[in-house]
Amino acid sequence: MARGDVRNICFHGIGTPGRTIDDDEARYWITADEYLRILDEIATWPATVVSFDDGNASDVEIGLPGLLERGLTATFFVLAGRLDTPGSLTSQQVAGLGAAGMRVGSHGMDHVSWRAMTAEVRRRELVEARDVIAAVAGEVTEAALPRGQYDRGTLRSLRELGYTAVHTSDRRLATDGAWLRPRFSVTRHDTPQTLVQAALVPPPVHRRVALEAKGLLKRWR
Ligand SMILES: [Zn+2]
């Protein structure tokens, strides 16, 4: 394992969704038991960073207690447009995350792709959403890409707007302190063992090169 490698593990929903979700989202919902088994595993890993996307109510109902019991922390990437709606985190819950030792970032407003944004969408997703979340949680400097989608324009906008870190879903190791941070999103097909294989066992060199090339392509198209 190369020096400076960081494993970023991202959760979405845990248990039963409290709102209607589509098939694409359903893929990222796991049971509470599986969540705790995975946390027990990754709690033993070096340089591992946990995050939650989408601002589901289960982040605080199930995710947070599991973290606190293990002395772990996480960044919660909240959707500004879903705050205080059924099945999602309340403003009050988000406001309390800091006191619990957690960090809060932006996942935008409406969970739409950040590729090829119009000026209007860019403003709503990258500026207004950050303002809404900052009003409840304090300063927000990091973002996670909705649906993991981005292009060169997305990254340029995020840089111009002063985001200090951007979290992708590119399923490869990240470099400590890098601005663009790939993450492994946990799906319902994952187990502690599949995550060990994906994130802890170093991939063969040819696969690593292929994954890095894929990331490079995304950044340049
Ligand atoms: Zn999302």
Side-chain angles (χ1 to χ4, degrees):
M1 192 163 304
R3 210 168 50 153
D5 280 349
V6 177
R7 283 140 289 274
N8 294 319
I9 303 294
C10 177
F11 295 100
H12 290 74
I14 309 165
T16 308
R19 59 183 176 82
T20 308
I21 58 167
D22 59 30
D23 288 348
D24 196 42
E25 278 186 284
R27 213 170 106 70
Y28 297 98
W29 278 76
I30 61 174
T31 66
D33 278 355
E34 200 61 10
Y35 168 66
L36 296 178
R37 288 196 332 120
I38 290 170
L39 270 198
D40 282 336
E41 170 59 39
I42 64 181
T44 67
W45 294 3
T48 303
V49 179
V50 177
S51 58
F52 288 79
D53 278 9
D54 298 355
N56 289 302
S58 62
D59 288 5
V60 161
E61 289 164 3
I62 305 170
L64 183 62
L67 295 169
L68 294 174
E69 281 162 18
R70 289 160 183 77
L72 299 170
T73 62
T75 305
F76 292 77
F77 292 100
V78 172
L79 275 166
R82 282 194 198 152
L83 278 176
D84 301 306
T85 64
S88 293
L89 294 173
T90 65
S91 301
Q92 204 177 359
Q93 285 172 321
V94 172
L97 285 169
M102 306 292 147
R103 298 167 301 278
V104 175
S106 178
H107 199 37
M109 189 72 83
D110 300 319
H111 213 237
V112 294
S113 171
W114 288 358
R115 287 184 66 182
M117 284 183 285
T118 61
E120 193 185 336
V121 171
R122 177 184 186 269
R123 174 157 188 82
R124 182 169 168 79
E125 290 293 321
L126 306 190
V127 179
E128 290 170 15
R130 181 171 64 177
D131 289 347
V132 167
I133 299 163
V136 278
E139 192 188 20
V140 170
T141 63
E142 301 192 6
L145 302 163
R147 303 170 190 279
Q149 294 179 350
Y150 61 97
D151 57 23
R152 202 169 11 163
T154 315
L155 302 185
R156 190 171 52 230
S157 294
L158 287 160
R159 274 199 197 275
E160 282 169 5
L161 291 166
Y163 284 88
T164 59
V166 175
H167 301 250
T168 77
S169 306
D170 289 342
R171 275 193 99 74
R172 57 191 172 85
L173 295 175
T175 304
D176 192 22
W179 185 75
L180 198 61
R181 302 186 184 174
R183 298 178 299 173
F184 296 89
S185 281
V186 177
T187 75
R188 65 183 175 201
H189 302 299
D190 277 313
T191 63
Q193 293 70 35
T194 64
L195 288 170
V196 166
Q197 279 305 314
L200 198 61
V201 176
V205 169
H206 67 272
R207 176 156 166 77
R208 192 162 176 154
V209 167
L211 284 167
E212 271 161 20
K214 212 165 139 188
L216 202 65
L217 190 69
K218 269 195 181 175
R219 288 197 287 282
W220 283 96
R221 78 187 161 200

